[in-house]
């Protein structure tokens, strides 16, 4: 391959053989390539293609020891210059912003990424050669300037995105494998936080490179930036994450506050990771935990099940589980001194809003989402759930009446909630005996006569859970259920209903259930 623009600068230095090129000549050649990639000429595809060809030929023709030398102040040294070239290559292969449109340009981005990835592989092989030669100690400095831009490129193009293709993903994965090999890291997590105790890691460097693209004005300019940030954040856990809290919390809040559901989901996922992996003391400092709480609480007004809790299939963290993990941190600052009534907590506030939404909700996806998280709220509040007993009763009775589809997820979770509720608040259950007993008996009869496509294991699970609730209700009412159900086995002809009634009769003769 022939060097078009860079060869002229090299020839002016008086060297024609690749091995004789001075660091100054190489610096001028790389500076020219950098100018072609970043200057006004870079807008012309012909100039950019020429720059890539020049760089490829330059890397092939240059010895590894020459490549990483150079300390000329005017050139800022070869390692730093190589880092700037790598950063420019990453921007060249970046996907277009939303305002520039998508569609046809995605295939173009994938082609660019594949070409840039091959150049990165050549660069890394030069680093590896310099590392193995033992005569070029400057390779460490060169690698330090290259690894950040290369990592961002890898994450941008290795994940399945609209702007990637199987070819660009494959090349990006090769770059990642070689990058980990050269840096002697066994995993991406080790690459980011360091695999040895005295090793600093590259997370701070990468966050520094992303910083300018993660502010309010610029974070949507490159649609890959949010994914790079989120994916990278998920790889760093405690105890390494807390030291970067000031850098990672603002972008997470910014992304979660967007009007697009996809971005809000991504932001909530980042916030949940922070809550799980940063010590409570750090989150409580400067009221950070309160800021996160209010950001999450506002999402509960959004009637979209993918945001309130996303399907487990997509493995995306949701608002309600995130809030449940945040409550213990927020409540560390609350101290009940006894005597007076316990103060209401953030969990009370959220449960009150959730119950307000649950009562009139008719969409099955949202009903399942709310029901799925209700047992966790009851467990969290314990006996303090009595504050919400009236509304919980209305929600439980209402949800038990509605068929929820073949899997019956909502009704099963509501039965689980009822069991927990009776265990924690049993002194207040007897006055609700009639309402709860009617709801449970109606459910048992409906399920026993159900001729829909509901699988038998699901029907059996519903009957078993409802029977357990009847047994608990009998304990809470001091045996009243047993007396009220005594005549049903004689008058009912449905074998499934009779079986449930006999289980209640036999169970009440035994010892009381745990928690009553």
């Amino acid at each position: 391959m022939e060097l078009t623009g860079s060869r002229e600068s090299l020839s002016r230095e008086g060297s024609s053989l690749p091995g004789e090129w001075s660091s100054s000549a190489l610096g001028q050649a790389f500076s020219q390539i950098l100018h072609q990639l970043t200057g006004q000429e870079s807008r012309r595809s012909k100039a950019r293609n020429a720059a890539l060809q020049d760089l490829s030929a330059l890397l092939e023709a240059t010895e590894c020891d020459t490549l990483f030398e150079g300390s000329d102040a005017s050139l800022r040294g070869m390692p730093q210059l190589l880092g700037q070239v790598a950063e420019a290559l990453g921007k060249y292969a970046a996907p277009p912003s939303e305002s520039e449109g998508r569609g046809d340009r995605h295939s173009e981005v994938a082609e660019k990424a594949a070409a840039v990835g091959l150049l990165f592989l050549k660069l890394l092989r030069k680093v590896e050669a310099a590392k193995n030669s033992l005569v070029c100690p400057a390779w460490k400095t060169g690698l330090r300037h290259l690894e950040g831009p290369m990592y961002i490129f890898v994450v941008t193009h290795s994940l399945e995105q609209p702007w990637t293709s199987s070819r660009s993903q494959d090349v990006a994965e090769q770059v990642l494998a070689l990058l980990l090999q050269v840096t002697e890291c066994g995993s991406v997590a080790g690459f980011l936080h360091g695999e040895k105790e005295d090793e600093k890691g590259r997370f701070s460097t990468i966050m520094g490179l992303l910083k300018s693209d993660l502010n309010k004005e610029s974070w949507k300019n490159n649609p890959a930036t949010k994914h790079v940030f989120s994916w990278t954040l998920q790889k760093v856990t405690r105890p390494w994450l807390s030291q970067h809290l000031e850098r990672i919390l603002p972008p997470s809040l910014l992304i979660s506050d967007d009007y697009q559901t996809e971005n809000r989901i991504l932001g909530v996922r980042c916030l949940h990771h922070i809550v799980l992996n940063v010590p409570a003391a750090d989150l409580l400092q400067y009221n950070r935990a309160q800021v996160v709480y209010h950001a999450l609480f506002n999402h509960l007004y959004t009637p979209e099940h993918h945001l309130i809790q996303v399907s487990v299939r997509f493995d995306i963290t949701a608002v309600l589980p995130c809030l449940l993990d945040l409550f213990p941190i927020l409540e560390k600052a609350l101290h009940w001194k006894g005597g007076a009534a316990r103060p209401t907590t953030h969990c009370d506030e959220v449960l009150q809003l959730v119950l307000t939404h649950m009562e009139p909700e008719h969409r099955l996806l949202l009903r399942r989402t709310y029901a799925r998280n209700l047992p966790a709220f009851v467990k969290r509040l314990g006996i303090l759930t009595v504050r919400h007993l009236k509304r919980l009763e209305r929600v439980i009775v209402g949800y038990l009446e509605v068929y929820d589809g073949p899997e019956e997820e909502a009704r099963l979770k509501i039965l689980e909630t009822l069991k927990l509720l009776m265990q924690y608040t049993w002194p207040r259950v007897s006055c609700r005996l009639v309402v709860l007993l009617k709801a449970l008996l109606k459910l048992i009869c409906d399920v026993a006569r159900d001729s829909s496509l509901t699988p038998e294991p699901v029907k059996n699970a519903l009957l078993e859970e409802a029977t357990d609730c009847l047994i608990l209700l009998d304990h809470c009412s001091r045996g009243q259920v047993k007396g009220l159900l005594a005549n049903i086995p004689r008058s009912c002809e449905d074998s499934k209903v009779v079986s449930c009634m006999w289980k209640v009769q036999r169970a009440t003769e035994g010892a009381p259930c745990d928690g009553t």
Side-chain angles (χ1 to χ4, degrees):
M1 189 178 292
E2 185 179 351
L3 288 168
T4 57
S6 305
R7 175 165 290 186
E8 297 176 5
S9 62
L10 288 170
S11 62
R12 286 196 292 268
E13 292 290 326
S15 294
S16 58
L17 296 175
E20 298 176 359
W21 292 348
S22 66
S23 60
S24 176
L26 279 175
Q28 290 183 20
F30 277 110
S31 295
Q32 186 172 346
I33 291 171
L34 182 62
H35 177 73
Q36 288 177 291
L37 289 171
T38 59
Q40 293 294 327
E41 295 179 359
S42 66
R43 297 183 180 180
R44 298 197 300 268
S45 59
K46 188 175 290 186
R48 289 187 302 232
N49 292 336
L52 294 182
Q53 291 175 0
D54 285 358
L55 180 57
S56 178
L58 198 59
L59 290 175
E60 289 177 358
T62 307
E63 296 295 333
C64 60
D65 55 342
T66 308
L67 190 61
F68 298 106
E69 290 178 355
S71 57
D72 192 328
S74 64
L75 299 175
R76 288 163 295 181
M78 279 299 297
Q80 188 171 353
L81 189 57
L82 285 171
Q84 292 173 345
V85 171
E87 196 170 344
L89 288 171
K91 290 180 179 178
Y92 164 73
S97 64
E98 295 179 8
S99 59
E100 295 178 19
R102 301 184 181 184
D104 296 340
R105 296 202 60 185
H106 287 157
S107 58
E108 180 185 342
V109 171
E111 292 175 7
K112 290 180 181 178
V116 169
L118 294 176
L119 290 173
F120 281 156
L121 287 172
K122 288 184 179 181
L123 258 174
L124 285 172
R125 290 189 185 107
K126 291 291 182 182
V127 175
E128 191 172 33
K131 176 183 174 183
N132 295 332
S133 69
L134 303 176
V135 296
C136 182
W139 69 268
K140 292 183 180 180
T141 308
L143 180 60
R144 191 161 58 246
H145 287 282
L146 291 171
E147 55 195 11
M150 286 186 177
Y151 172 84
I152 293 174
F153 166 84
V154 163
V155 180
T156 299
H157 297 284
S158 62
L159 305 177
E160 187 174 350
Q161 298 290 354
W163 57 83
T164 60
S165 65
S166 57
R167 169 65 176 156
S168 63
Q169 286 180 267
D170 182 58
V171 173
E173 287 171 2
Q174 291 180 44
V175 175
L176 177 61
L178 190 53
L179 180 61
L180 293 178
Q181 179 180 322
V182 172
T183 54
E184 298 180 353
C185 295
S187 64
V188 173
F191 174 84
L192 292 170
H193 60 64
E195 297 206 326
K196 301 176 183 177
E197 291 184 6
D198 57 341
E199 191 177 353
K200 187 178 179 182
R202 291 92 178 166
F203 187 77
S204 181
T205 301
I206 290 162
M207 288 297 110
L209 291 171
L210 293 174
K211 183 178 180 180
S212 61
D213 294 327
L214 282 174
N215 57 55
K216 190 174 182 180
E217 291 74 28
S218 64
W219 74 278
K220 285 193 173 183
N221 291 344
N222 182 347
T225 301
K226 61 190 177 187
H227 296 289
V228 175
F229 171 77
S230 173
W231 196 82
T232 302
L233 177 64
Q234 303 287 330
K235 295 295 180 182
V236 181
T237 57
R238 64 170 68 217
W240 299 281
L241 195 61
S242 59
Q243 59 186 302
H244 306 287
L245 185 56
E246 291 184 2
R247 279 190 168 184
I248 60 177
L249 185 56
S252 301
L253 290 166
L254 177 65
I255 297 170
S256 73
D257 194 37
D258 191 51
Y259 69 93
Q260 291 180 314
T261 302
E262 174 195 355
N263 294 334
R264 283 181 290 181
I265 290 171
L266 206 61
V268 170
R269 182 182 184 181
C270 294
L271 290 173
H272 197 176
H273 185 77
I274 292 171
V275 167
L276 292 174
N277 290 282
V278 173
D282 292 330
L283 289 173
L284 291 171
Q285 194 176 25
Y286 307 123
N287 259 2
R288 292 182 182 119
Q290 284 284 357
V291 172
V292 174
Y293 169 74
H294 287 296
L296 294 169
F297 186 80
N298 289 336
H299 288 309
L300 295 178
Y301 291 98
T302 304
E304 297 179 21
H305 78 285
H306 282 293
L307 182 59
I308 295 173
Q309 169 153 348
V310 184
S311 172
V312 179
R313 179 187 303 176
F314 301 105
D315 196 26
I316 299 178
T317 308
V319 173
L320 289 177
C322 185
L323 281 167
L324 286 163
D325 287 324
L326 185 61
F327 292 148
I329 297 170
L330 290 166
E331 292 163 15
K332 279 183 178 291
L334 298 177
H335 299 285
W336 182 50
K337 297 180 180 179
R342 294 192 189 186
T344 57
T345 64
H346 297 87
C347 188
D348 286 302
E349 187 180 17
V350 173
L351 181 56
Q352 185 177 358
L353 180 60
V354 167
L355 292 174
T356 300
H357 288 167
M358 287 184 76
E359 280 191 71
E361 187 55 62
H362 63 278
R363 288 166 290 186
L364 289 178
L365 287 175
L366 273 172
R367 288 170 68 92
R368 291 169 191 157
T369 295
Y370 287 128
R372 190 181 301 131
N373 290 279
L374 207 51
F377 279 94
V378 176
K379 286 180 182 178
R380 178 69 199 160
L381 286 171
I383 195 169
L384 296 180
T385 314
V386 294
R387 294 169 174 168
H388 311 276
L389 205 50
K390 288 183 179 179
R391 304 188 79 181
L392 275 166
E393 177 192 317
R394 293 199 298 268
V395 167
I396 288 170
V397 172
Y399 274 55
L400 288 180
E401 290 177 349
V402 179
Y403 173 71
D404 186 45
E407 295 181 359
E408 291 282 15
E409 182 182 2
R411 291 209 280 193
L412 284 169
K413 284 297 179 181
I414 289 296
L415 288 171
E416 181 184 344
T417 302
L418 179 57
K419 287 169 65 177
L420 290 168
L421 191 64
M422 288 191 289
Q423 289 173 357
Y424 285 117
T425 65
W426 61 269
R428 300 287 186 91
V429 172
S430 58
C431 61
R432 293 171 171 81
L433 171 63
V434 176
V435 174
L436 295 176
L437 182 58
K438 284 183 179 179
L440 289 170
L441 286 176
K442 184 176 185 302
L443 172 66
I444 290 174
C445 292
D446 288 346
V447 173
R449 293 178 300 190
D450 183 14
S451 58
S452 67
L453 297 177
T454 305
E456 282 300 318
V458 175
K459 292 181 183 178
N460 293 335
L462 278 172
L463 292 173
E464 185 177 346
E465 291 292 310
T467 304
D468 290 343
C469 287
L470 285 175
I471 294 170
L472 274 173
L473 186 59
D474 184 69
H475 288 311
C476 293
S477 62
R478 298 181 180 275
Q480 292 184 54
V481 172
K482 178 181 177 181
L484 292 170
L485 301 181
N487 293 326
I488 291 182
R490 302 190 190 100
S491 58
C492 182
E493 298 179 356
D494 193 297
S495 59
K496 290 183 178 179
V497 176
V498 172
S499 175
C500 292
M501 297 305 105
W502 279 118
K503 286 180 182 177
V504 174
Q505 295 291 338
R506 287 195 296 267
T508 55
E509 297 170 358
C513 291
D514 294 337
T516 59

